Structures are given as structure tokens and as C-alpha cells.
Amino acid sequence: MAGAGIGLVLTGALTTACGPEETDPAGGAGASKPGGGAEGGDAFTTPPAGTAPRALWQHPAKATTLGNQEVLAVAGNVVLVAGDPLVGRDLATGEELWSLKGAAQPGARLIMSGGTLYLASGTYDGDLVGLDPATGKETWRSRLDGRYAQPRPVGADKDHVYVIAGILEKDLSSQHNVIAAIDLRTGKAVWTERRDAGTEESGITSVVLDGRLVYTDHRKNLTVRDAATGRQLWTKKISSSNFERIAVHEGAVFVADSRHLRAFSVEDGSERWALKTEEFSSFNGPSILDGVLYASDSAHALWAVDPSTGKQRWHNTDLLDVSVPLQFAKVGDTLYGATEFDENGGVQAYDARDGKLRWTYNDGKGSLEQWYVVAGGKRLAALHAGRLQALPAV
């Protein structure tokens, strides 16, 4: 996994792809010491602009949920990858803390709330289970009594876990599906709403905000429901598909709608503001981090926007030779991005104050697979091409 040491001159800064040292034969982390720190310790720093860090550790990871943004998660000091087996590793050292075969069904999203990870039961018995991310032990189970076919979590809050599930017919077939809320105290459905004929059970992108369940689907609908009752408050068509990330913040939902980045009121669907990118270009899904909206576009630009007003904080258009990020994490004054399908992509570090690219970490594998990144304290967890790795973030 040693890096290729490739340099790219971009807007006056040298971006170097540096890989980690090899994992030892016993499976432990290598002796890489970014910033002079010891393995697994806190005495390391992310390097200056122009030099990418080395990975603190690396391990194989069998991810089975590639394509959505919830394949990778950090809970406390534990990093999780949606795969089979579902494994929890110590983010500081890479040590395997627990492993569960068959716990995460193919396509599972890492839905967490209140310190619990919610998944469809790995035994396909029509139940949901809640796991403690620190130990992998089951701490909660629904009581759906086989009422639904393969319920899958799409969101959770302090009261409910929200699922998409098939309706079981008398012949045990399932031609239609519902969206439902499962009470976390009783484990039973508190409301169930049948979805329109022709809607699919897969392809839901969803978030929960202040008692509202917000989601898109394969039919390019943006829908908002009351989380307590299931009542649909409004729905509207958008041009982008469900694969785009959506974001919510202070009573608004933000979506990439082809050439436009739009903000809608969660309560009534009225448009608050819209930004437009270049002709024949389109926005990628946005993220909200520390009160700032970040989004890239197909014109190879990166945007930082005030989510309340739509006013640009900065707009980096100097990335024509760089694969722009689709997913973001932020630590301090550094914005980290994970790129899509590009052998020269990776985890990028941007100055969050002005949007300038500082460095790009690439593992040197030459794989076109998408990257994923999530922050946890002083570290980043990154997933790429069947490898999970940790990078310094401060």
C-alpha cells in the first residue's frame, strides 16, 4: 500500500499523494509515524500544505453498501463499515473490537441515534435490531410479529426508527410497500403510510429534522412527513435522482436539483433560495458542517454557502484537473472531502476559510472506486477499494 508520491501543481500548491507503510504480517498497524508521533498515539499532526499524511493504520474491509453515503460511520472511538462481517474497530489503533457475521444485510445503511445502531435483523425474520456500537451486542429489538417483509431502517431519532417495508399479502408475496415509524419504547409501529403504486423499496435518501422525516426516492420526489403521525406535509418533483445526498438545517432542506442548488422550507415546501452553476453542469449532493453548506459540481468547482441566505462564502473554481469531492468531513479549520471514481482521487484537505486545496491523500492502488471519509476526534476514517484506513485530522 505504499504511495506513489505523485505531485500535481494546482493553484500554486503542491499536492502529494503519500501512502502508508505496509501492514505487518501479524495484521497489526505498521510503523508509520506522521508528524513524528508514535503508532496509535496522539502526538501526530496533519502535515503542511503540499504534503499528504501517511495512514496511521490499514485493514481490509468487506463493504457491501457501496453507493450510499452511510457505508462508513464513527461512534465514539469505534469505526464501522457496513459489510459482512460487520466489524467494529478502534479508531485510534485499528484493533478489531468485535465482529458479527450476517449482521448487516446487503445494502444496509448505518443508521444511528442515541448511541444505538439500527439494522434489519440479519436472520431476515421481519424484525429490526439495535446494536451497541462499542460492543456489537444487541440492545433492542422490534416487535413487528412478521407483519412486514424485510423492513429496512431509513432514519432514526430519539423516539422512532423509520423504515421502508414490503406489505405481506396472503400468499406471502409483497407487491406494495409502506413507510412506517417504529416506537423505540414498545418496538411496535405507531404509524404506517402506504406509498404510491410503483414506488420502489430501494433508493431512499432520507434525513430527520425537528420532528420531520425528509426523503427522496427513485421517482425523483422530495417528500416531507410529520414524524409523529406520518402525515405527508408536502411533496414535489426534483430533477436529480435519489442517489444525491440531501441536507437539513434550521428548518430547511437542501437538495441538488440538476443545475441548481435549492433550499426549501421543511414546513411548507416554499423555496428559500437557489444557486445556479455553469450551463450544462450540475450540483452534487450538499452537506452541512458547522453551519456551512458545502457542495461540489460537475464543472469541477467547490462551493461554501451560508445555508440561511444562499450567499457564497467562497467558490473554488481552480480544480479543473482534480476529482472533486462528493462527501465531506470537517475538523477545525480543515474541510476534508472524499472523491468519486478517479484513480488520482482520494481524501482531500481544503482550508475551510478560503477553499484552497492543501493536499490529497491517495493509497496508490490505482482503483477507480469511490472514496468515503468520516471524522472522529483527531482522526479521519477513510474507506476505499476494500481497505479501511485512519488518517490524522489535526
Side-chain angles (χ1 to χ4, degrees):
M1 298 295 295
I6 302 171
L8 297 176
V9 178
L10 297 171
T11 63
L14 179 67
T15 304
T16 306
C18 294
E21 295 185 13
E22 293 289 345
T23 299
D24 66 41
S32 175
K33 299 178 182 177
E39 174 198 340
D42 290 328
F44 58 79
T45 59
T46 187
T51 305
R54 288 179 177 270
L56 302 172
W57 53 259
Q58 286 190 354
H59 288 285
K62 296 181 179 180
T64 58
T65 318
L66 298 180
N68 75 56
Q69 302 297 335
E70 290 163 302
V71 63
L72 180 66
V74 168
N77 68 330
V78 181
V79 57
L80 308 167
V81 178
D84 191 16
L86 179 65
V87 176
R89 291 189 179 276
D90 187 298
L91 181 56
T93 66
E95 176 189 0
E96 183 179 300
L97 302 176
W98 53 266
S99 177
L100 293 175
K101 184 70 176 175
Q105 296 181 11
R109 295 165 57 185
L110 296 178
I111 301 292
M112 284 191 284
S113 179
T116 300
L117 170 65
Y118 295 99
L119 295 166
S121 172
T123 58
Y124 294 86
D125 56 10
D127 262 348
L128 306 175
V129 297
L131 304 180
D132 180 353
T135 63
K137 292 182 178 180
E138 183 177 317
T139 58
W140 178 87
R141 179 172 284 265
S142 67
R143 300 175 182 175
L144 300 179
D145 302 320
R147 183 178 174 185
Y148 304 113
Q150 298 183 16
R152 292 186 296 278
V154 296
D157 56 25
K158 64 182 180 63
D159 298 314
H160 306 123
V161 56
Y162 304 93
V163 301
I164 296 291
I167 303 174
L168 279 176
E169 308 294 346
K170 291 182 179 180
D171 62 357
L172 300 182
S173 66
S174 179
Q175 304 299 323
H176 302 279
N177 65 86
V178 298
I179 189 164
I182 312 303
D183 191 294
L184 294 180
R185 293 164 297 180
T186 67
K188 297 183 178 181
V190 293
W191 58 257
T192 301
E193 294 290 335
R194 183 163 173 162
R195 301 177 69 215
D196 292 341
T199 55
E200 300 180 34
E201 294 179 55
S202 60
I204 298 291
T205 301
S206 52
V207 288
V208 182
L209 173 71
D210 297 335
R212 301 291 184 257
L213 176 61
V214 186
Y215 59 95
T216 63
D217 59 39
H218 266 310
R219 302 181 76 182
K220 302 181 181 179
N221 297 308
L222 173 63
T223 303
V224 176
R225 292 184 182 273
D226 184 292
T229 66
R231 180 173 63 92
Q232 181 174 295
L233 301 179
W234 55 268
T235 187
K236 62 176 57 190
K237 292 289 184 181
I238 57 173
S239 57
S240 292
S241 77
N242 65 288
F243 296 108
E244 295 290 1
R245 174 188 291 274
I246 59 177
V248 290
H249 180 72
E250 294 185 345
V253 52
F254 307 89
V255 298
D257 188 10
S258 189
R259 190 182 175 188
H260 295 87
L261 186 64
R262 300 188 187 278
F264 298 103
S265 168
V266 168
E267 291 305 312
D268 59 16
S270 59
E271 186 171 276
R272 292 188 174 181
W273 55 259
L275 290 178
K276 184 186 294 186
T277 186
E278 296 181 15
E279 189 175 5
F280 308 119
S281 300
S282 59
F283 276 101
N284 298 312
S287 294
I288 302 280
L289 299 170
D290 291 343
V292 179
L293 183 150
Y294 299 100
S296 60
D297 63 32
S298 61
H300 283 245
L302 187 59
W303 303 64
V305 178
D306 184 328
S308 299
T309 64
K311 183 179 179 180
Q312 294 180 32
R313 295 199 172 192
W314 47 258
H315 181 205
N316 186 345
T317 59
D318 296 323
L319 303 173
L320 291 179
D321 297 320
V322 178
S323 180
V324 292
L326 297 183
Q327 185 189 22
F328 300 94
K330 187 173 181 288
V331 180
D333 290 328
T334 303
L335 175 70
Y336 297 96
T339 67
E340 58 174 345
F341 315 108
D342 185 345
E343 64 181 12
N344 295 317
V347 176
Q348 300 168 330
Y350 293 87
D351 189 320
R353 296 164 294 188
D354 58 18
K356 291 183 179 179
L357 180 63
R358 298 181 63 238
W359 49 256
T360 297
Y361 168 82
N362 186 289
D363 56 17
K365 290 184 68 68
S367 171
L368 298 179
E369 292 185 30
Q370 184 171 338
W371 285 78
Y372 300 85
V373 68
V374 64
K378 298 179 181 180
R379 290 171 172 80
L380 301 173
L383 176 67
H384 178 246
R387 299 288 290 183
L388 177 63
Q389 48 215 300
L391 303 174
V394 293

